[in-house]
Amino acid sequence: MDPIKSKSRWARLALGVVTLLFSGIIYSWSLIKAPFDSFEWSSSALTLNYTLTMCFFCLGGFVSGLLSKKLSMRVRMIAAAALVLGGFGIVSAMGGKSILPLYIGYGFMTGSGIGIVYNVVISATNAWFPDRKGLSSGALMMGFGFTTLTLGNLFVKLFDVEALGWRKVYFIYGAILAVIFLVQAFVLKMPESRGKAASDAENDMTASQMIRRFSFWKLFVFFALFAAVGSTAIAGAKGQFADLGAVGSAAVLAGLLTVCNGLGRIVSGAFFDRFGRRKTQYLTSAVVIAATALTLLGYAAELTVVGCIGLCLCGFSYGFSPTISAAFAAEFYGSRNFALNFSILNLILIPASFVPTLLSSLNGTWTFAVLVIFSLVGLGINLTVKKS
């Protein structure tokens, strides 16, 4: 069946959005780590768990891409269900003396399992939208980005329910994730015919062909710099808004930044479909430069409103990164090997996840001065990125 003519593709997209909405809980670590703040673990030790989670998330997606030709989507989704159920189960049973179970259960098992799901769901769902790659990617990434605002806050409220407590909440959420993944395991499938646009043999590259192209490495560095900006803004959002002078509304503004992140994902995808790759490249750099520059101005000149607008724009720009990287991977390197190629490009999140930690010793002014440099270097690289 030609995916463009399929009546079921919108239902598949909706299910994909729901799946990634629940999977995006890994981005809510700053909220759902609340029960562990009372343990005898340092703040840096808990922050390390987030970094490990993001690293294994990327590696899980990479392994899924490597095995895409050998293991079916169903097998990989079932494996992911087992990993998240086991991971959340280990966390719910922790004694609190050693932090190692947290690193294994949440960082390694849950991070890897969600990485597998992210890779499979995006690859399979996007295959049904060869004519609207940006819209499909944007909708899926929007679900992943809205988790903190919705389920992350619900997670925290459930901790205080006397009949539940944090241990039961963790275990129940792991079980819900596992069920969703198992449902997808028996629903997900690739279209029998991907249409002319997706089956263009000249556009399809293997991973080895892709990484031998200098254009790929320019794209990789650009997206790594780009993601580092948004990652830094989101990781310390509440504290940054407070530092800018919005102390009383810092929590609300941090939630608004998450909304901006989700909107950036769907807006960038729609823009890509409407105006094409090249104009999207220009818009991407323009938004991130404006975001970092306004935030820097807010800090340096003590302009609270300007700085807050800049931070919200940082969140908005961060939404561009996953959506546009997925659309670019398909546009540059084809659909046949998308699962592996996208997982390799998605490894940008590993270096990007370390930037907030590396800049944590700097004040807000110097942090965003560095990020302005990142965005300007990214612009220089971006202008040289070509398809060939």
Side-chain angles (χ1 to χ4, degrees):
M1 176 184 293
D2 188 336
I4 297 177
K5 298 179 180 179
S6 173
K7 295 181 180 179
S8 69
R9 68 176 186 162
W10 296 103
R12 296 179 186 278
L13 178 59
L15 182 56
V17 171
V18 171
T19 302
L20 292 189
L21 175 65
F22 277 85
S23 300
I25 197 67
I26 59 172
Y27 275 134
S28 304
W29 176 245
S30 63
L31 295 178
I32 68 173
K33 71 179 180 65
F36 311 125
D37 289 335
S38 61
F39 290 7
E40 295 182 357
W41 299 334
S42 67
S43 176
S44 59
L46 289 173
T47 301
L48 177 59
N49 183 63
Y50 174 76
T51 301
L52 289 173
T53 303
M54 295 310 298
C55 288
F56 282 111
F57 165 73
C58 292
L59 293 174
F62 178 62
V63 171
S64 175
L66 282 176
L67 298 177
S68 61
K69 302 293 185 181
K70 298 180 180 180
L71 296 178
S72 68
M73 291 186 294
R74 180 171 298 176
V75 170
R76 284 177 283 154
M77 290 295 290
I78 291 173
L83 281 168
V84 297
L85 182 60
F88 274 96
I90 289 174
V91 173
S92 69
M94 287 192 314
K97 293 183 178 180
S98 171
I99 200 171
L100 187 59
L102 179 67
Y103 292 162
I104 294 174
Y106 196 93
F108 167 58
M109 295 178 69
T110 299
S112 298
I114 290 177
I116 292 170
V117 169
Y118 185 84
N119 177 265
V120 173
V121 170
I122 290 176
S123 301
T125 306
N126 279 355
W128 291 89
F129 291 85
D131 57 326
R132 296 186 178 183
K133 293 187 287 288
L135 176 64
S136 175
S137 297
L140 292 169
M141 305 300 184
M142 182 181 68
F144 206 64
F146 272 164
T147 308
T148 299
L149 185 65
T150 54
L151 298 179
N153 284 297
L154 175 61
F155 218 107
V156 175
K157 291 179 180 179
L158 291 176
F159 288 155
D160 296 327
V161 177
E162 188 174 348
L164 292 173
W166 73 266
R167 295 183 186 277
K168 287 184 180 179
V169 172
Y170 262 86
F171 184 79
I172 291 171
Y173 196 88
I176 291 173
L177 268 182
V179 169
I180 293 173
F181 294 172
L182 289 174
V183 169
Q184 276 282 33
F186 292 92
V187 172
L188 275 175
K189 69 175 184 177
M190 301 292 279
E192 295 176 5
S193 170
R194 301 185 189 179
K196 182 178 179 180
S199 61
D200 182 1
E202 293 182 1
N203 195 42
D204 286 323
M205 295 185 192
T206 63
S208 61
Q209 290 174 325
M210 179 183 74
I211 63 175
R212 287 200 298 267
R213 288 180 171 252
F214 186 48
S215 61
F216 166 76
W217 292 107
K218 288 193 289 185
L219 202 63
F220 188 95
V221 173
F222 166 67
F223 277 120
L225 291 171
F226 190 25
V229 171
S231 181
T232 302
I234 287 179
K238 185 177 179 181
Q240 289 164 355
F241 279 117
D243 290 343
L244 283 165
V247 179
S249 55
V252 174
L253 288 170
L256 178 61
L257 188 146
T258 303
V259 174
C260 292
N261 179 23
L263 291 175
R265 297 172 185 232
I266 193 70
V267 169
S268 60
F271 189 91
F272 179 90
D273 287 336
R274 176 68 178 83
F275 297 102
R277 173 180 54 81
R278 198 61 181 167
K279 289 182 179 179
T280 303
Q281 287 179 255
Y282 297 145
L283 177 66
T284 299
S285 281
V287 170
V288 74
I289 290 172
T292 52
L294 286 173
T295 308
L296 175 60
L297 179 61
Y299 271 109
E302 298 183 356
L303 299 172
T304 300
V305 174
V306 173
C308 290
I309 291 173
L311 274 178
C312 287
L313 267 179
C314 284
F316 184 71
S317 72
Y318 191 42
F320 280 46
S321 181
T323 302
I324 300 306
S325 61
F328 275 35
E331 177 83 6
F332 276 42
Y333 310 114
S335 300
R336 186 179 300 279
N337 302 298
F338 177 82
L340 178 56
N341 292 345
F342 175 57
S343 70
I344 293 173
L345 185 56
N346 201 47
L347 293 175
I348 59 166
L349 294 177
I350 293 180
S353 68
F354 283 95
V355 172
T357 303
L358 294 174
L359 297 181
S360 61
S361 61
L362 302 178
N363 62 28
T365 301
W366 281 107
T367 292
F368 280 89
V370 171
L371 295 181
V372 166
I373 294 173
F374 277 20
S375 63
L376 291 174
V377 172
L379 171 64
I381 296 172
N382 191 15
L383 293 176
T384 69
V385 173
K386 297 180 180 180
K387 191 172 181 179
S388 57

